[in-house]
Amino acid sequence: MTTTYPFSAIVGMDGLRLALLLNAVSPAVGGVLVRGEKGTAKSTAVRAIAALLPEVDVVAGCRFSCDPAAPDPSCPDGPHEPGTGEARPARMVELPVGASEDRLVGALDIERALSDGVKAFEPGLLADAHRGVLYVDEVNLLHDHLIDLLLDAAAMGASYVEREGVSVRHAARFLLVGTMNPEEGELRPQLLDRFGLTVEVAASRDTGERVEVVRRRLAYDEDPEGFAARWAADEEALRERIAAARALLPRVGLGDRALRQIAAVCAGFEVDGMRADIVTARTATALAAWAGRTDVRTEDVRGAALLSLPHRRRRAPFDAPGLDEDKLDEILRRFEEDDPEPDPDPGPEGPGDGPDGSDGPDDTGGGPQEGTGDGAREQTPPTAPEPSVPDQRGGEHEAAEREDGSARADRDGGVADPGEGDGGTGGAGGERAAVGAAEPFRTRRLDVPGLGEGAAGRRSRARSAHGRTTGARRPRGTLSALHLTATVRAAAPHQRTRGRSGPGLLVRRDDLREAVREGREGNLVLFVVDASGSMAARKRMSAIKGAVLSLLLDAYQRRDKVGLITFRGADAELALPPTSSVDAAAVRLERLPTGGRTPLAAGLLKAREVLRVERLRDPARRPLLVVVTDGRATEARRSGGPAPVERAGRAARMLAGDGVASVVVDCESGPVRLGLAGALAGELRGTRVTLDELRADSVTALVRDVRNVSNPRRAA
């Protein structure tokens, strides 16, 4: 059996350790979401806390961990008579990212259920985690349908397995702990709200602390049993303190004044719903019990808010969770002024008994330094710097001059003058500082044509385990979705030859049919954004960035992967390789500078290369190419080579030949329009959409499906 790394040996990570300890004291807090970069001991800390949880009493032989004092009346292994049971350690169950639905909720033997009427049920991970810890590493990468099942179980405290009219229910109350790397994408708001607390972790920048981390890890890897033995006394002290805090918790009083403080803080941060108030109240009482007190004080409310509100406050799309501590202190200060009733006298508390005390298993920084907010205070992410704004002098006038120059270049074969599009500083120079994006809006859905088989999502039609039933077939592997009508039709002709005499239907495995369903898949949405001088007018670029930001938000909601290619000056750049982190794409877009010539062909060829590599990595995920441009192509022309517009057309036809579905977002503006974006859409065999048509509330009809049409005039 593998020896777990001791919880008390973890260096630093005060906010994370405190959040886990508070959940150990009061499971009603609702779990912890741990956000942080890779290699920050997130999983180590979660696995270590499970060893500190008190033992649980269970009914002997019950696979669902029923409490002998109050057994579940609907337990599949029941009914159980109340009485004495047996004690066992609390379990920590890990849910793999690639787990199946049957592995999570359990599997029902459909053949025996139909033929014998027997509920032969094999419990899943939710049953194993009952009255313990359910740990989901990389929870943000979990499939949507598994997240839905987790949401239902966490909300109801029970798991339901339904298979064509045959159902099984069992209790599933667990401490939900998830870890995630925000670079891989964010969580759905519904699941985010289910976690009671959230903490942000990052590797320490203190040299001494980093040295101590490495020293302890090497010692553990060399001799796990010996290392754990050296920390056994500290582990036992923590275990006893958790048990004492649990025993004290029912006696902790949450007075009206503390409740009003909690309500003022939650209202001040404009959190949605009432779950934030409830979780903050439970966390504050757990903090008081952990400190050995029976009254909740202002410092408890502050510490609880730092852990329970960062992921619940209202924020703009793509903003990371966080809490403004200055605002929190101001709300509490105003409350003190309006309600000056003093907190109870601290009494003769010793220096190590309060939440800010240092008396613990390890005063050198290695053991848990239990605080009410000092560790959690570090979780607030730094505010992103505001993008610099270009000089406004002559903005629209310069933009008009650039566009006139671009138009002249296009009419002359696509070769730019030396100062075209960059303020007269040369083709590769003239970079303009980034301009902020306009307010995002709700976009219409853009689909990939045909029927895919990619990862579950919400964009394009696909064969899926979830969705509407479109047919039936023989099972491929384990049967998970029975098509009852087709199964009965297959078994009915053979009842006489099988000697059926009773009312039951004689069903054999060859008769079983599984449902074929059609749902939605997530796609790879690859953005190719023109950042050249012809797009550099302030208002115009702001509107374009707002449109791309809106499409990114749509991709996030539809569970797509995204990538970002920009082209300007002399070449194209892969600004963001395909990833599930739409937030990262939004940051890169916000900081995108503009200026220089328009190497459209380079941008399209770069997209073709990226898609070729991604097709090898993830062949089931279909791509959708979104080209954001006015269609102009201007670059330094090689002697005897084709014109830039012709080169761009060749690259577009190569992408069309690869079967890539595409949309061209036409950004051309002004009284004189050349229609180059429409021509590009024709070469791509894609769809041209203007910025106005991209809006879901636009009166202009938008062709929703991206069609690989052979007639370019239709796409134009």
Side-chain angles (χ1 to χ4, degrees):
M1 181 176 179
T2 304
T3 302
T4 304
Y5 191 93
F7 188 84
S8 52
I10 297 173
V11 179
M13 314 282 283
D14 294 348
L16 170 57
R17 289 182 297 156
L18 178 63
L20 292 172
L21 288 168
L22 293 178
N23 273 275
V25 171
S26 176
V29 166
V32 186
L33 174 64
V34 187
R35 296 165 46 91
E37 58 196 20
K38 54 186 177 293
T40 49
K42 300 186 297 293
S43 300
T44 299
V46 174
R47 294 187 177 101
I49 193 64
L52 299 177
L53 296 178
E55 292 185 335
V56 294
D57 292 328
V58 298
V59 174
C62 178
R63 297 174 297 168
F64 300 87
S65 303
C66 280
D67 186 349
D72 182 6
S74 60
C75 175
D77 284 355
H80 305 299
E81 292 295 330
T84 58
E86 59 183 19
R88 64 159 176 79
R91 292 173 179 163
M92 193 197 74
V93 178
E94 296 192 38
L95 174 61
V97 170
S100 65
E101 180 179 334
D102 285 347
R103 184 71 187 97
L104 177 62
V105 300
L108 191 66
D109 192 328
I110 301 297
E111 185 176 0
R112 291 190 62 192
L114 286 176
S115 58
D116 303 332
V118 176
K119 293 183 181 180
F121 181 71
E122 184 65 29
L125 296 177
L126 290 180
D128 292 341
H130 179 47
R131 305 178 67 201
V133 179
L134 180 62
Y135 171 46
V136 188
D137 193 14
E138 305 291 353
V139 63
N140 52 327
L141 303 183
L142 204 62
H143 288 302
D144 271 8
H145 66 285
L146 296 183
I147 288 179
D148 291 335
L149 292 171
L150 275 180
L151 286 174
D152 291 341
M156 297 183 295
S159 174
Y160 292 85
V161 182
E162 302 282 350
R163 292 290 186 271
E164 302 294 345
V166 181
S167 64
V168 172
R169 175 209 171 274
H170 64 83
R173 292 182 296 275
F174 46 81
L175 174 63
L176 182 60
V177 181
T179 56
M180 59 174 283
N181 184 349
E183 295 176 355
E184 298 290 342
E186 288 291 347
L187 275 174
R188 288 168 54 186
Q190 295 93 329
L191 183 59
L192 195 62
D193 190 50
R194 292 294 178 187
F195 287 97
L197 311 178
T198 184
V199 289
E200 197 89 20
V201 297
S204 173
R205 298 297 180 258
D206 180 79
T207 303
E209 196 167 280
R210 294 176 74 97
V211 168
E212 186 62 23
V213 169
V214 175
R215 181 181 292 117
R216 294 186 186 185
R217 186 70 209 189
L218 293 177
Y220 169 78
D221 291 340
E222 183 178 349
D223 182 11
E225 291 79 10
F227 184 83
R230 290 196 294 274
W231 290 88
D234 296 330
E235 291 285 278
E236 184 60 29
L238 268 180
R239 194 175 290 109
E240 292 176 357
R241 187 171 178 183
I242 292 173
R246 277 194 171 190
L248 181 63
L249 186 65
R251 304 201 303 273
V252 175
L254 185 65
D256 288 344
R257 186 168 186 272
L259 283 173
R260 289 197 302 272
Q261 281 183 315
I262 292 169
V265 169
C266 293
F269 283 101
E270 298 181 329
V271 297
D272 295 323
M274 296 299 297
R275 183 175 283 116
D277 302 64
I278 296 171
V279 172
T280 304
R282 289 172 174 167
T283 307
T285 56
L287 275 166
W290 180 249
R293 288 186 273 101
T294 58
D295 59 289
V296 174
R297 301 178 182 174
T298 299
E299 61 263 29
D300 299 325
V301 174
R302 186 184 190 279
L306 286 171
L307 294 171
S308 63
L309 298 187
H311 58 304
R312 292 188 169 92
R313 66 169 180 85
R314 288 188 181 180
R315 57 187 188 274
F318 308 120
D319 280 356
L323 205 66
D324 186 341
E325 293 191 51
D326 292 336
K327 181 178 179 179
L328 174 60
D329 292 335
E330 176 63 20
I331 293 172
L332 292 173
R333 184 188 62 78
R334 288 201 308 266
F335 181 87
E336 294 291 342
E337 292 175 353
D338 296 339
D339 187 0
E341 177 187 346
D343 280 334
D345 184 76
E349 233 178 61
D353 297 328
D356 294 321
S358 60
D359 187 14
D362 184 1
D363 291 337
T364 63
Q369 300 163 0
E370 298 82 9
T372 60
D374 294 339
R377 190 175 303 149
E378 299 172 2
Q379 68 188 317
T380 305
T383 304
E386 291 291 332
S388 55
V389 179
D391 192 350
Q392 297 187 19
R393 291 174 293 180
E396 291 302 320
H397 178 68
E398 291 178 10
E401 289 182 348
R402 282 192 301 274
E403 293 199 12
D404 289 342
S406 300
R408 286 195 301 272
D410 292 324
R411 287 194 295 271
D412 293 338
V415 183
D417 291 332
E420 178 272 338
D422 58 308
T425 60
E431 178 176 304
R432 296 170 63 88
V435 62
E439 191 71 20
F441 52 84
R442 188 168 64 90
T443 67
R444 293 182 181 270
R445 189 181 71 220
L446 305 173
D447 296 325
V448 177
L451 194 64
E453 295 183 346
R458 298 181 180 180
R459 184 171 297 278
S460 305
R461 295 174 53 218
R463 297 182 183 90
S464 172
H466 303 273
R468 63 185 183 91
T469 301
T470 59
R473 66 185 178 192
R474 291 182 181 274
R476 299 176 181 177
T478 303
L479 177 65
S480 58
L482 178 74
H483 194 297
L484 183 58
T485 304
T487 300
V488 171
R489 282 203 305 264
H494 308 290
Q495 297 305 296
R496 181 174 297 178
T497 57
R498 292 175 184 173
R500 191 187 96 175
S501 57
L505 185 69
L506 295 181
V507 179
R508 295 180 180 173
R509 182 159 296 277
D510 289 343
D511 302 326
L512 299 179
R513 298 292 183 270
E514 69 178 1
V516 177
R517 293 174 175 168
E518 181 179 308
R520 295 279 174 182
E521 67 176 0
N523 299 112
L524 166 59
V525 183
L526 182 60
F527 293 93
V528 181
V529 180
D530 185 348
S532 65
S534 67
M535 307 277 283
R538 280 180 51 80
K539 291 184 179 179
R540 186 180 181 196
M541 196 63 201
S542 178
I544 291 167
K545 283 189 176 183
V548 178
L549 192 64
S550 303
L551 289 168
L552 285 171
L553 181 59
D554 181 69
Y556 164 70
Q557 294 169 342
R558 300 190 187 281
R559 304 294 175 266
D560 296 318
K561 289 179 69 175
V562 297
L564 178 64
I565 293 173
T566 63
F567 59 93
R568 54 181 293 274
D571 205 355
E573 175 190 4
L574 180 59
L576 182 72
T579 175
S580 297
S581 178
V582 179
D583 295 354
V587 172
R588 302 290 173 87
L589 177 71
E590 190 73 17
R591 298 174 180 173
L592 177 65
T594 56
R597 295 191 174 111
T598 314
L600 176 58
L604 297 176
L605 291 174
K606 174 69 74 173
R608 186 171 186 247
E609 175 63 20
V610 170
L611 293 178
R612 183 189 67 82
V613 174
E614 286 301 309
R615 195 175 293 115
L616 297 175
R617 291 177 178 171
D618 191 359
R621 189 180 290 268
R622 298 185 296 162
L624 173 63
L625 181 67
V626 179
V627 185
V628 184
T629 181
D630 56 9
R632 293 186 173 94
T634 58
E635 56 188 65
R637 185 172 179 177
R638 301 170 185 173
S639 177
V645 173
E646 183 181 348
R647 291 187 66 235
R650 290 182 181 179
R653 289 191 292 274
M654 293 168 68
L655 282 164
D658 293 339
V660 177
S662 59
V663 175
V664 177
V665 180
D666 187 354
C667 302
E668 192 173 29
S669 61
V672 179
R673 304 194 181 190
L674 305 177
L676 297 174
L680 176 64
E683 298 283 9
L684 287 167
R685 299 179 190 170
T687 301
R688 168 187 168 272
V689 179
T690 66
L691 289 176
D692 288 337
E693 291 171 336
L694 198 60
R695 293 179 177 271
D697 55 358
S698 173
V699 296
T700 305
L702 173 66
V703 179
R704 296 198 174 193
D705 292 342
V706 180
R707 310 223 180 252
N708 290 324
V709 294
S710 57
N711 184 359
R713 290 176 297 179
R714 178 178 178 182

